[in-house]
Amino acid sequence: MYSFTNDYSEGAHPRILEALVQTNNQQTAGYGTDQYCKAASDKLKELIDKQDVDVHFIPGGTHTNLILISSALKAHQAVMAVDSGHIFVHETGAIEATGHKVLTRPHNNGKLSLEMIESMMAEHTDEHMVQPKMVYISQTTEFGTVYTLQEIKEISAYCKEHDLFFFIDGARLGSALVVEGAPSLKEMAMYSDAFYIGGTKMGALFGECLVLVNDELKKDFRYHIKQKGAMFAKGRLLGVQFLTLFNDDLYFEIGKYENNVAKILRDGLVNAGYSFYVDSPSNQLFPILPNQLIKKLESEFSFNIMDKIDENHTVIRLVTSFATPASKAHQFVELL
Amino acid sequence: MYSFTNDYSEGAHPRILEALVQTNNQQTAGYGTDQYCKAASDKLKELIDKQDVDVHFIPGGTHTNLILISSALKAHQAVMAVDSGHIFVHETGAIEATGHKVLTRPHNNGKLSLEMIESMMAEHTDEHMVQPKMVYISQTTEFGTVYTLQEIKEISAYCKEHDLFFFIDGARLGSALVVEGAPSLKEMAMYSDAFYIGGTKMGALFGECLVLVNDELKKDFRYHIKQKGAMFAKGRLLGVQFLTLFNDDLYFEIGKYENNVAKILRDGLVNAGYSFYVDSPSNQLFPILPNQLIKKLESEFSFNIMDKIDENHTVIRLVTSFATPASKAHQFVELL
Amino acid sequence: MYSFTNDYSEGAHPRILEALVQTNNQQTAGYGTDQYCKAASDKLKELIDKQDVDVHFIPGGTHTNLILISSALKAHQAVMAVDSGHIFVHETGAIEATGHKVLTRPHNNGKLSLEMIESMMAEHTDEHMVQPKMVYISQTTEFGTVYTLQEIKEISAYCKEHDLFFFIDGARLGSALVVEGAPSLKEMAMYSDAFYIGGTKMGALFGECLVLVNDELKKDFRYHIKQKGAMFAKGRLLGVQFLTLFNDDLYFEIGKYENNVAKILRDGLVNAGYSFYVDSPSNQLFPILPNQLIKKLESEFSFNIMDKIDENHTVIRLVTSFATPASKAHQFVELL
Amino acid sequence: MYSFTNDYSEGAHPRILEALVQTNNQQTAGYGTDQYCKAASDKLKELIDKQDVDVHFIPGGTHTNLILISSALKAHQAVMAVDSGHIFVHETGAIEATGHKVLTRPHNNGKLSLEMIESMMAEHTDEHMVQPKMVYISQTTEFGTVYTLQEIKEISAYCKEHDLFFFIDGARLGSALVVEGAPSLKEMAMYSDAFYIGGTKMGALFGECLVLVNDELKKDFRYHIKQKGAMFAKGRLLGVQFLTLFNDDLYFEIGKYENNVAKILRDGLVNAGYSFYVDSPSNQLFPILPNQLIKKLESEFSFNIMDKIDENHTVIRLVTSFATPASKAHQFVELL
């Protein structure tokens, strides 16, 4: 039984594991003040060709979202997202638990459009309602779709004009960065106020690299990391992992690999005549399959069952990771 | 330069690292529902000879404290601690950030006494004040001291009588468990409502093992873990580490090792005629040293400077870890 | 210029004001422990023919909602409502500020249906999402509609079956109680876990009377009132007002009066050939009027402009209060 | 039985009640946007000779404290106070419930000294601890003592220098303003960042008038008032009351009256040879009396029993209000 259930079924990319083993016996300063976190941060600044950002390493994605959002908003302010947004659906009310409402509009292929933002802004006009202050999107989206550079630029311009923070959740950023038309890492830093470079779902054991671009978000940020329980004593674990990911383009290599293996699946599905719930160029696929075929596939593979389309058809989700062998994708295609 | 600054300067115990390497390529279920978390939980239940506890693995100590405390208390309830307690001083208001007051009394060698608890209970009598509902202590304390079984029993009895939860922070529990007169792991589960077995400061890369004894604390606990950002996608990392720590008594072995190396330091200090701010049997020592000697020691060792005692004397803190070579302790003693 | 903008434009009903004047010089105990609060509570228990409820008096409606909801829910739990619900739209995120998500479905004439509740329950299945634990409705709704006894009974039965709290916001309860087919005060206490009897919008200077029916909600409730700043030092002001409202059926009398004056407006609108956005039997009306007529009406009356229907038509809101003279309603009708 | 228990045993000053009666039938805008709130705000600006302040009216004192403090602080920031401070002891953790720690030092006659502030600042140095950002005092203090202009100036200067907000709780400000050496209303606005002028304990039915001096505190403040449930629908009730208090020096008159009646009690106690736990010039007295005398006094008067001093002596608290007849004070003195 092979699993296409998600991109966090395995441990870490071999190079990351090796780096952890090699540095294991060293003594370093605690809480992310070590040389590895410094080096990873420096390397990232080089990659985005921008020195005036603050870089923080946080153990997980929900944790990163709740810390960034709660530290940026005042008590009466809210964040805008799509109704399929991770913060709205799948974080057990983590944002609300810090006191903030998540405003939503129904998603369009997982994406938030300018019209949706405008509509939420138009609705919230006075002190009897929360004040929208941040736009949250994720790249790739929950449906594996990817915002184009043009879309990112437009949202960015709107946010600047309306004094909104623009925050991009990059749990699967590596898979997006290598898609044609998507903003580059450098452009992420040019057009957002904050974004994070996901590690957990991109070959690290765990960890997300949060980049604070807007000066307003930087002050005292380590207090928020500590208060929410995210300041690892052995913070160098995060530094070592991200330094490895940033060196020799490993991060991009993993993204490409995941997408390539996903492409084997996608091509196979298309060739077999199946369509998709949402068409995605990244490492998550949402094919619509006959229930009987699903049953057959389940004898050799595991994956998530999503929505029922009709009596006989269902959407499933297939996810590839840094560790998915191409052979398994081929094997899956053969079963179709 | 060798560091006695803390017990989280190095990576993981070799056996833990090896287990992580060996299981790295396996596919497992996410979010702590994998076979390693299950096996570690089963092994612990065997160690404490008690099946009706719930075991959860959480990445860090502050995180564990804030999740347990906020999930246990209702909005108007407070937790009682000493003024040197980790939750009161060194968690950036993490508990208050979840809405709860930490009531305190000045500590006695790092410990909370029954009299202190009684005094806080006597002071809080009606709805104009918060309602004390939990007792929080840590074993070992912030000063390296260790509660005796008798002390634990007394607090436990008081808590049962007054309908209070008794929660023990065991960030350094391994170092306490092997001290004579201290409660055993089994007794921790007999006399507390919840406690955690620290990994981060006891040889793991990271992670704490929270044991919920009181049924009232168990319901829906995974919701709280997720909401506070502590549900690791690759949860098996915690399972693998704690399974290794629980197997073959590794956890106890590490505790003994730390204390033994600390004893080399303590004996050396005593023999050299120095006294201690607080006398501790565990892996943290608080000697009072002449400032000139401190300067000399700092040329070869790093450690924390604590309080000034008088013009010429200062308290320092020395901490040993699973990785501290005995030779380094001897070398330190020679410098005295 | 006469205002139909809302039902809190004037001060208090003359009998309430008189009671406040007459008791002004008396010395009473503070914080709601006085004889008037006791008498008002006793009178209410008599009216609902039920002794085992707890009665609390709280200064305002948003305040009552946030105290009741935050005291009833655990950190991971959410409340279900319609998207037009007061707690979702018009309380500046008050519920989220206490840490809880408000789940919604699009309303049906302001009402929440059993199907909507079932759909939210079906969607929230595990610890990656919040746990629905309470149903919130308001009687009358934001659109002036009134739940029938049958509807209330059905929701109540569903809640009992699924271990959900059923909470009814009665800011305008007086206007609903006198509508045919609506549950009586006694039935409110039979079928809800908690509800409140609005004062502010029903002729009091201010104040809501919260009735806790379910024992689980009663414990330590005064702590929550105090913590959220709602425990009035001169709590007897609330007792005196509600005692007056409960005596001699004044509360019902006010409800009838408001509805009767609203009926003058409704009949006039119907006779003049206008339709309604939502058909309401209570003290709020939502007629759809030609923009030119609205302009004309605005020369003599003020009221809220709601949604635009088409190029030439707009929904307005008309509200009557205990103090609205019937003559003003007739005068309005004449202008149509 | 006459009560010296507190200054909120009676209703409102006759002039306030009269103003409420006279304006009762008027229709006004809701939520504090009416002409009376405007007029009261304008009158206050005239009294303090300062136009660039924002004035808000809030129903109660705990409510005012929690709204101001939570709106001013970021998640990681704390407020400094004395351990007898109202926010630390008697608000059921209201401040912590909004997420913020209250740092304290033992009080000196109810007062916070510069040394205490410095000591708290010195202790909180990095992101492992909360960040002190506000100084909270109350004028008069919980022990009836009054800060001198000099003391207020010194704290103010320290706060400006260290970028701290200086907030003064004036629940009983009227009683302080008329004490010699105390800062005037104008000086309150010169030296604090925010302060409130108490109504509830100074002859109003209810209500506090919050003055925001520092521009940083002003933005979006009405959102916070609404979110915390403090935006009264019939907000004009607060405007009418404070306009009356500010007109013709009524507020100062009430302060003088309370203090004068308290002086009858104080002189009588001194003449009878009794001493005080804390010597207070305002409307709260804390005499140390023989237990037998207390028993005798309790046959005709009620008051609060505070601390036991020794076997035979106890501290009691006597409070005068706008409504305390001088004759009752004389009668009490005769009993001594």
Side-chain angles (χ1 to χ4, degrees):
Chain A
M1 181 74 69
Y2 186 80
S3 170
F4 285 109
T5 308
N6 56 49
D7 34 19
Y8 43 83
S9 296
E10 301 91 3
H13 189 278
R15 276 199 250 164
I16 287 175
L17 204 61
E18 194 192 327
L20 288 171
V21 170
Q22 281 184 347
T23 58
N24 187 62
N25 295 327
Q26 297 174 20
Q27 287 193 314
T28 63
Y31 301 114
T33 62
D34 61 278
Q35 65 269 34
Y36 294 105
C37 285
K38 176 75 170 57
S41 171
D42 287 349
K43 180 69 192 173
L44 176 66
K45 290 175 183 176
E46 190 192 309
L47 287 176
I48 60 173
D49 195 17
K50 195 166 167 58
Q51 292 299 315
D52 61 342
V53 298
D54 278 6
V55 180
H56 298 280
F57 302 100
I58 295 177
T62 295
H63 220 172
T64 307
N65 287 335
L66 80 87
I67 294 169
L68 185 280
I69 294 172
S70 71
S71 76
L73 301 185
K74 304 209 72 178
H76 63 300
Q77 296 177 332
V79 54
M80 295 177 277
V82 283
D83 63 352
S84 57
H86 204 263
I87 56 169
F88 188 66
V89 182
H90 281 112
E91 302 190 351
T92 318
I95 305 307
E96 290 87 354
T98 68
H100 302 284
K101 199 185 195 79
V102 184
L103 299 170
T104 61
R105 287 292 180 269
H107 72 91
N108 181 5
N109 284 331
K111 291 189 188 177
L112 182 75
S113 68
L114 212 51
E115 289 67 36
M116 297 175 198
I117 302 174
E118 283 167 348
S119 141
M120 288 186 265
M121 290 293 284
E123 189 183 312
H124 291 83
T125 53
D126 68 35
E127 70 263 21
H128 291 264
M129 290 168 278
V130 292
Q131 184 181 79
K133 178 67 184 171
M134 181 184 278
V135 167
Y136 164 95
I137 65 169
S138 55
Q139 176 83 318
T140 66
T141 71
E142 295 299 312
F143 288 94
T145 50
V146 174
Y147 287 87
T148 64
L149 174 58
Q150 187 54 30
E151 288 170 329
I152 294 289
K153 276 182 171 178
E154 279 171 16
I155 296 178
S156 178
Y158 184 91
C159 287
K160 279 205 170 44
E161 199 183 331
H162 293 82
D163 199 21
L164 301 171
F165 295 123
F166 182 21
F167 170 47
I168 307 176
D169 171 336
R172 294 186 172 98
L173 189 61
S175 177
L177 287 172
V178 296
V179 168
E180 210 184 299
S184 67
L185 205 49
K186 189 174 166 176
E187 286 159 343
M188 294 290 287
M190 287 170 66
Y191 296 111
S192 75
D193 293 294
F195 70 101
Y196 77 85
I197 303 165
T200 304
K201 295 175 177 171
M202 296 298 306
L205 280 180
F206 62 91
E208 322 296 315
C209 170
L210 176 64
V211 184
L212 303 180
V213 180
N214 185 326
D215 286 343
E216 281 185 62
L217 301 176
K218 294 174 184 170
K219 189 148 185 276
D220 294 336
F221 197 79
R222 280 175 59 83
Y223 282 86
H224 299 280
I225 295 179
K226 177 64 192 168
Q227 185 183 71
K228 297 299 188 286
M231 194 171 276
F232 256 37
K234 298 179 181 174
R236 104 276 198 76
L237 299 174
L238 292 153
V240 166
Q241 293 188 82
F242 275 97
L243 183 57
T244 308
L245 283 169
F246 294 156
N247 275 337
D248 306 322
D249 286 341
L250 177 57
Y251 195 69
F252 303 93
E253 209 177 273
I254 290 173
K256 270 180 216 148
Y257 182 80
E258 289 184 357
N259 291 7
N260 286 341
V261 180
K263 196 170 180 303
I264 298 171
L265 293 168
R266 189 165 44 241
D267 290 350
L269 286 156
V270 169
N271 290 339
Y274 299 113
S275 64
F276 294 84
Y277 183 65
V278 170
D279 192 22
S280 143
S282 68
N283 77 322
Q284 293 184 85
L285 302 176
F286 296 85
I288 301 171
L289 299 181
N291 295 344
Q292 285 202 313
L293 175 57
I294 292 175
K295 206 156 267 176
K296 182 176 157 200
L297 292 166
E298 281 179 325
S299 65
E300 297 189 33
F301 297 96
S302 62
F303 41 79
N304 277 330
I305 303 295
M306 309 299 283
D307 290 321
K308 213 173 140 167
I309 292 294
D310 59 33
E311 277 301 289
N312 303 311
H313 295 81
T314 301
V315 182
I316 68 165
R317 186 179 79 149
L318 302 172
V319 192
T320 59
S321 84
F322 76 95
T324 314
S327 62
K328 291 294 175 186
H330 287 299
Q331 194 178 318
F332 185 94
V333 167
E334 276 159 38
L335 269 185
L336 293 174
Chain B
M1 180 73 70
Y2 187 79
S3 170
F4 285 110
T5 308
N6 55 51
D7 34 19
Y8 43 83
S9 297
E10 301 91 2
H13 189 279
R15 275 200 251 164
I16 288 176
L17 205 60
E18 196 193 326
L20 288 171
V21 171
Q22 281 183 348
T23 57
N24 188 62
N25 295 328
Q26 296 174 20
Q27 288 192 313
T28 64
Y31 301 115
T33 62
D34 61 279
Q35 66 268 35
Y36 294 104
C37 285
K38 175 74 171 55
S41 171
D42 287 348
K43 180 70 190 172
L44 176 66
K45 289 175 183 177
E46 188 192 311
L47 286 176
I48 61 174
D49 195 16
K50 194 167 168 59
Q51 293 298 316
D52 61 342
V53 299
D54 278 5
V55 180
H56 299 280
F57 302 100
I58 295 176
T62 295
H63 221 171
T64 307
N65 287 335
L66 79 86
I67 294 169
L68 185 280
I69 294 172
S70 70
S71 75
L73 301 185
K74 304 207 72 177
H76 64 298
Q77 296 177 331
V79 54
M80 295 178 276
V82 283
D83 62 352
S84 57
H86 204 264
I87 56 168
F88 188 67
V89 182
H90 281 113
E91 302 189 350
T92 318
I95 305 307
E96 289 86 355
T98 67
H100 302 283
K101 200 186 193 80
V102 183
L103 299 169
T104 62
R105 287 293 180 267
H107 72 91
N108 181 6
N109 285 332
K111 291 189 188 176
L112 182 75
S113 68
L114 212 51
E115 289 68 35
M116 297 175 199
I117 301 173
E118 283 167 347
S119 140
M120 288 186 266
M121 290 293 282
E123 191 182 309
H124 292 82
T125 53
D126 68 36
E127 70 264 21
H128 292 263
M129 289 167 278
V130 292
Q131 184 181 79
K133 179 65 184 171
M134 181 184 279
V135 167
Y136 164 94
I137 64 168
S138 55
Q139 175 81 318
T140 68
T141 71
E142 295 299 313
F143 288 95
T145 49
V146 174
Y147 288 86
T148 64
L149 174 57
Q150 187 55 30
E151 289 169 329
I152 294 291
K153 278 181 169 178
E154 280 171 15
I155 296 177
S156 178
Y158 183 92
C159 287
K160 280 204 169 45
E161 198 182 333
H162 293 82
D163 199 21
L164 301 171
F165 296 122
F166 182 21
F167 171 45
I168 306 176
D169 172 335
R172 294 187 172 96
L173 189 61
S175 178
L177 288 171
V178 296
V179 169
E180 210 183 298
S184 67
L185 206 49
K186 189 174 166 175
E187 287 159 343
M188 292 290 287
M190 288 171 65
Y191 297 111
S192 74
D193 294 294
F195 70 101
Y196 76 85
I197 302 166
T200 304
K201 295 175 178 172
M202 296 298 304
L205 281 181
F206 63 90
E208 322 297 314
C209 170
L210 177 63
V211 185
L212 303 180
V213 181
N214 185 326
D215 286 343
E216 284 184 60
L217 302 176
K218 293 174 186 170
K219 189 149 185 276
D220 293 336
F221 198 79
R222 281 176 57 85
Y223 283 85
H224 299 280
I225 295 179
K226 175 64 191 170
Q227 186 183 70
K228 297 299 189 286
M231 192 170 278
F232 256 37
K234 299 180 181 175
R236 104 271 198 78
L237 299 175
L238 291 153
V240 167
Q241 293 188 82
F242 275 97
L243 183 58
T244 309
L245 282 169
F246 294 157
N247 275 337
D248 306 320
D249 286 341
L250 177 58
Y251 195 70
F252 303 93
E253 209 176 273
I254 289 173
K256 269 180 215 149
Y257 182 81
E258 288 184 359
N259 291 7
N260 286 342
V261 179
K263 195 170 181 304
I264 297 171
L265 292 169
R266 188 164 48 242
D267 289 350
L269 287 156
V270 169
N271 291 338
Y274 299 113
S275 65
F276 294 84
Y277 182 64
V278 169
D279 193 20
S280 143
S282 68
N283 76 323
Q284 294 183 84
L285 301 177
F286 296 85
I288 301 170
L289 299 181
N291 295 343
Q292 285 203 314
L293 176 55
I294 292 175
K295 204 154 268 175
K296 184 177 155 198
L297 292 165
E298 282 179 324
S299 66
E300 296 190 32
F301 296 96
S302 62
F303 41 79
N304 277 329
I305 303 293
M306 308 299 282
D307 290 321
K308 211 173 141 168
I309 292 295
D310 60 31
E311 276 302 287
N312 304 312
H313 294 81
T314 301
V315 182
I316 68 165
R317 185 179 81 148
L318 301 173
V319 191
T320 59
S321 84
F322 76 94
T324 313
S327 62
K328 291 296 176 186
H330 288 299
Q331 194 178 318
F332 185 94
V333 166
E334 275 159 37
L335 267 186
L336 293 174
Chain C
M1 180 73 70
Y2 186 79
S3 170
F4 285 108
T5 307
N6 57 49
D7 34 19
Y8 42 84
S9 296
E10 301 92 1
H13 189 280
R15 276 200 250 163
I16 288 177
L17 204 61
E18 193 192 328
L20 288 171
V21 170
Q22 280 183 348
T23 57
N24 187 61
N25 296 328
Q26 295 174 20
Q27 287 193 314
T28 65
Y31 301 116
T33 62
D34 61 279
Q35 66 269 34
Y36 293 105
C37 286
K38 176 74 170 57
S41 171
D42 287 349
K43 180 69 192 172
L44 176 66
K45 290 175 183 176
E46 190 192 310
L47 286 176
I48 62 174
D49 194 16
K50 194 166 168 57
Q51 291 299 314
D52 61 342
V53 299
D54 278 5
V55 180
H56 298 280
F57 301 101
I58 295 177
T62 294
H63 220 172
T64 307
N65 287 335
L66 80 87
I67 294 169
L68 186 278
I69 294 172
S70 70
S71 76
L73 301 185
K74 303 208 73 176
H76 63 300
Q77 296 176 331
V79 55
M80 295 177 276
V82 283
D83 63 351
S84 56
H86 204 263
I87 57 168
F88 188 66
V89 182
H90 280 112
E91 302 190 351
T92 319
I95 304 308
E96 290 86 355
T98 68
H100 302 283
K101 200 184 193 80
V102 183
L103 300 169
T104 60
R105 286 293 180 267
H107 71 91
N108 181 5
N109 284 333
K111 291 189 188 176
L112 183 75
S113 68
L114 212 49
E115 289 67 35
M116 298 176 198
I117 302 173
E118 282 167 348
S119 141
M120 289 186 264
M121 291 292 282
E123 189 182 311
H124 291 83
T125 53
D126 67 36
E127 69 265 20
H128 292 263
M129 289 167 277
V130 292
Q131 184 181 79
K133 179 65 184 170
M134 181 183 280
V135 167
Y136 164 94
I137 64 168
S138 55
Q139 176 82 320
T140 67
T141 71
E142 295 299 314
F143 288 94
T145 49
V146 174
Y147 287 86
T148 63
L149 174 57
Q150 186 55 29
E151 288 170 329
I152 294 290
K153 276 181 170 178
E154 280 171 16
I155 297 178
S156 178
Y158 184 91
C159 287
K160 279 204 170 45
E161 199 182 331
H162 294 83
D163 200 22
L164 302 170
F165 296 123
F166 182 21
F167 170 46
I168 307 176
D169 171 336
R172 294 188 172 97
L173 189 61
S175 177
L177 288 171
V178 295
V179 169
E180 210 182 298
S184 67
L185 205 50
K186 188 173 167 176
E187 286 160 342
M188 293 290 287
M190 287 170 66
Y191 296 112
S192 74
D193 293 294
F195 70 100
Y196 76 85
I197 303 165
T200 304
K201 295 174 177 171
M202 296 298 304
L205 280 181
F206 62 90
E208 322 298 314
C209 171
L210 177 64
V211 184
L212 303 180
V213 180
N214 185 325
D215 285 343
E216 283 185 61
L217 301 176
K218 293 174 186 170
K219 189 148 185 276
D220 294 337
F221 198 79
R222 280 176 58 83
Y223 282 86
H224 299 280
I225 295 179
K226 177 64 192 169
Q227 186 184 70
K228 297 300 189 284
M231 193 171 276
F232 256 36
K234 298 179 182 176
R236 105 271 199 78
L237 298 175
L238 292 152
V240 167
Q241 292 188 83
F242 276 97
L243 184 57
T244 309
L245 282 168
F246 294 156
N247 276 337
D248 306 321
D249 286 341
L250 177 58
Y251 194 70
F252 303 92
E253 208 177 273
I254 290 173
K256 268 179 218 151
Y257 182 81
E258 289 184 357
N259 291 7
N260 285 342
V261 179
K263 196 170 182 304
I264 298 172
L265 292 169
R266 189 166 45 241
D267 290 350
L269 287 156
V270 168
N271 291 338
Y274 298 113
S275 66
F276 294 85
Y277 183 63
V278 170
D279 192 21
S280 145
S282 68
N283 76 322
Q284 294 183 83
L285 301 177
F286 295 85
I288 301 171
L289 299 182
N291 295 344
Q292 283 203 315
L293 175 57
I294 292 175
K295 204 154 268 174
K296 181 176 157 200
L297 291 166
E298 281 179 325
S299 65
E300 295 189 33
F301 296 96
S302 61
F303 42 78
N304 277 329
I305 302 295
M306 309 298 283
D307 290 322
K308 212 173 140 168
I309 293 293
D310 60 32
E311 276 302 287
N312 303 312
H313 295 81
T314 302
V315 181
I316 67 165
R317 186 179 79 149
L318 301 173
V319 191
T320 59
S321 84
F322 75 94
T324 313
S327 62
K328 291 295 175 185
H330 288 299
Q331 193 178 320
F332 184 94
V333 167
E334 275 159 37
L335 268 186
L336 293 174
Chain D
M1 179 73 69
Y2 186 80
S3 170
F4 285 109
T5 307
N6 56 50
D7 33 19
Y8 43 84
S9 296
E10 302 91 2
H13 189 279
R15 276 200 251 164
I16 288 176
L17 205 61
E18 195 193 326
L20 288 171
V21 171
Q22 281 184 347
T23 57
N24 188 61
N25 296 328
Q26 297 174 19
Q27 286 193 315
T28 65
Y31 300 116
T33 62
D34 61 280
Q35 67 268 35
Y36 294 105
C37 286
K38 175 73 169 59
S41 171
D42 287 347
K43 180 71 192 173
L44 176 66
K45 290 176 183 175
E46 188 192 311
L47 286 176
I48 62 174
D49 194 16
K50 195 167 167 57
Q51 291 299 314
D52 60 342
V53 299
D54 278 5
V55 180
H56 298 279
F57 301 101
I58 295 175
T62 294
H63 220 171
T64 307
N65 287 335
L66 79 88
I67 294 169
L68 185 279
I69 294 172
S70 70
S71 75
L73 301 185
K74 304 207 71 177
H76 63 301
Q77 296 176 330
V79 54
M80 294 178 276
V82 283
D83 64 350
S84 57
H86 204 263
I87 57 168
F88 188 66
V89 182
H90 281 113
E91 302 189 351
T92 318
I95 305 307
E96 290 86 355
T98 68
H100 302 283
K101 200 185 192 80
V102 183
L103 299 170
T104 61
R105 288 292 180 268
H107 72 91
N108 181 5
N109 284 332
K111 291 189 188 176
L112 182 76
S113 69
L114 212 50
E115 290 67 36
M116 297 175 197
I117 301 174
E118 283 167 347
S119 141
M120 288 186 266
M121 290 292 283
E123 191 182 311
H124 291 84
T125 53
D126 68 36
E127 70 264 22
H128 291 263
M129 289 168 277
V130 292
Q131 184 181 79
K133 179 65 184 173
M134 181 185 278
V135 167
Y136 164 95
I137 64 169
S138 57
Q139 176 83 319
T140 67
T141 72
E142 295 299 313
F143 288 95
T145 49
V146 174
Y147 287 87
T148 64
L149 174 58
Q150 187 54 31
E151 289 169 330
I152 294 290
K153 277 181 169 178
E154 279 171 16
I155 297 178
S156 178
Y158 184 92
C159 287
K160 281 205 167 46
E161 198 183 332
H162 294 81
D163 199 21
L164 301 170
F165 296 122
F166 182 21
F167 169 47
I168 307 176
D169 172 335
R172 293 187 173 97
L173 189 61
S175 178
L177 287 171
V178 296
V179 168
E180 210 183 299
S184 67
L185 205 50
K186 187 174 168 176
E187 285 159 343
M188 293 290 287
M190 287 170 66
Y191 296 111
S192 74
D193 293 296
F195 70 100
Y196 75 85
I197 302 166
T200 304
K201 295 175 178 172
M202 296 297 305
L205 280 181
F206 62 90
E208 323 296 314
C209 171
L210 176 64
V211 185
L212 303 181
V213 180
N214 186 326
D215 285 343
E216 283 185 61
L217 301 176
K218 293 175 186 170
K219 190 149 184 277
D220 293 336
F221 198 79
R222 280 175 58 84
Y223 282 86
H224 299 280
I225 295 179
K226 176 63 192 170
Q227 186 183 69
K228 297 298 188 288
M231 193 171 278
F232 256 37
K234 298 180 181 174
R236 106 272 198 78
L237 299 175
L238 291 152
V240 166
Q241 292 188 83
F242 275 98
L243 183 58
T244 309
L245 282 168
F246 293 157
N247 276 337
D248 307 321
D249 285 340
L250 177 58
Y251 195 70
F252 302 93
E253 208 177 275
I254 290 173
K256 268 181 216 148
Y257 182 81
E258 288 184 357
N259 291 7
N260 285 342
V261 179
K263 196 169 182 303
I264 298 172
L265 292 168
R266 189 165 46 242
D267 290 349
L269 287 156
V270 169
N271 290 340
Y274 298 113
S275 65
F276 294 84
Y277 183 64
V278 168
D279 193 19
S280 143
S282 68
N283 76 323
Q284 293 183 86
L285 302 177
F286 295 85
I288 301 170
L289 299 181
N291 295 344
Q292 285 203 314
L293 174 56
I294 291 174
K295 204 153 269 175
K296 183 178 156 198
L297 291 166
E298 282 179 325
S299 66
E300 297 190 31
F301 296 95
S302 61
F303 41 79
N304 277 329
I305 302 294
M306 309 298 283
D307 290 321
K308 211 173 141 168
I309 292 294
D310 61 31
E311 277 301 287
N312 303 312
H313 295 80
T314 301
V315 182
I316 66 165
R317 186 179 81 149
L318 301 173
V319 191
T320 59
S321 83
F322 76 94
T324 315
S327 62
K328 289 296 174 184
H330 287 300
Q331 194 178 318
F332 184 94
V333 167
E334 274 159 39
L335 267 187
L336 293 174

